[in-house]
Amino acid sequence: MNSPSPLAGEGGARAEGVGGRGAVDAAERRRQQREHAKDMRSGMTEAEKTLWRILRAKRMETFKFRRQLPIGPYIVDFACPSRRLVVEADGGQHAENTYDARRDAWLASQGWHVLRFWNQEILTNHEGVWRSIAAALANPLPPTAARWAPPSPARGEG
């Protein structure tokens, strides 16, 4: 009798989840997060729409940005994955927000650099916002230990 292969996602501790439904719950959370990101893309604020006009279609030289991108447990407004740059449009509710500080610290621990702009600045100072983003793209973060991952035997990398 052949036993199921955990590497192929068949049975075993992975499918059952160490604590019961862990793997199923994680997959469901990711699905819900993707749906929420999709909803956010269709309900952008004026500042987010303006910022997207600056970033989309590789208008920042050759760099591709994505909007409402899930990264770990968070959804960021805009991200350039090749430069690990996150760009956020913030309203007044973000002033001295401890959630944003925790989120930024987690993103930084994963090798991401976060730029934040106030909505008013995005709406009234397109050129200044563009220059700040262009400068961040021109000076990427150095590789960090947080970005390195060991080879994955499941993907034939080990």
Side-chain angles (χ1 to χ4, degrees):
M1 177 176 180
N2 290 340
S3 61
S5 167
L7 292 178
E10 303 168 350
R14 179 179 160 90
E16 296 297 320
V18 175
R21 296 176 22 147
V24 173
D25 291 341
E28 178 61 18
R29 280 193 304 274
R30 283 191 304 275
R31 187 194 66 73
Q32 288 175 350
Q33 186 182 40
R34 283 191 307 270
E35 285 299 314
H36 183 56
K38 184 177 177 181
D39 291 342
M40 291 172 70
R41 284 190 288 275
S42 64
M44 293 194 312
T45 66
E46 279 307 308
E48 289 171 332
K49 289 176 186 176
T50 299
L51 192 50
W52 183 235
R53 282 191 294 273
I54 293 170
L55 299 173
R56 72 182 180 88
K58 295 186 179 178
R59 290 191 176 132
M60 298 298 296
E61 302 191 26
T62 61
F63 300 106
K64 180 175 175 58
F65 278 83
R66 296 180 58 196
R67 59 188 172 139
Q68 270 66 44
L69 178 68
I71 300 175
Y74 303 104
I75 299 173
V76 300
D77 289 342
F78 305 97
C80 177
S82 68
R83 288 292 203 203
R84 304 209 40 107
L85 176 66
V86 169
V87 180
E88 292 285 311
D90 291 341
Q93 75 275 17
H94 290 275
E96 298 185 30
N97 188 322
T98 58
Y99 173 81
D100 285 345
R102 280 193 314 272
R103 181 177 184 261
D104 289 357
W106 184 88
L107 288 166
S109 77
Q110 302 302 304
W112 290 87
H113 176 67
V114 179
L115 286 180
R116 290 185 173 277
F117 297 98
W118 292 109
N119 289 347
Q120 191 60 32
E121 182 179 12
I122 294 166
L123 295 171
T124 61
N125 185 11
H126 302 142
E127 183 69 20
V129 169
W130 184 89
R131 286 179 189 270
S132 295
I133 296 168
L137 290 169
N139 299 304
L141 292 175
T144 65
R147 290 176 59 184
W148 180 85
S152 168
R155 292 192 306 253
E157 298 174 344

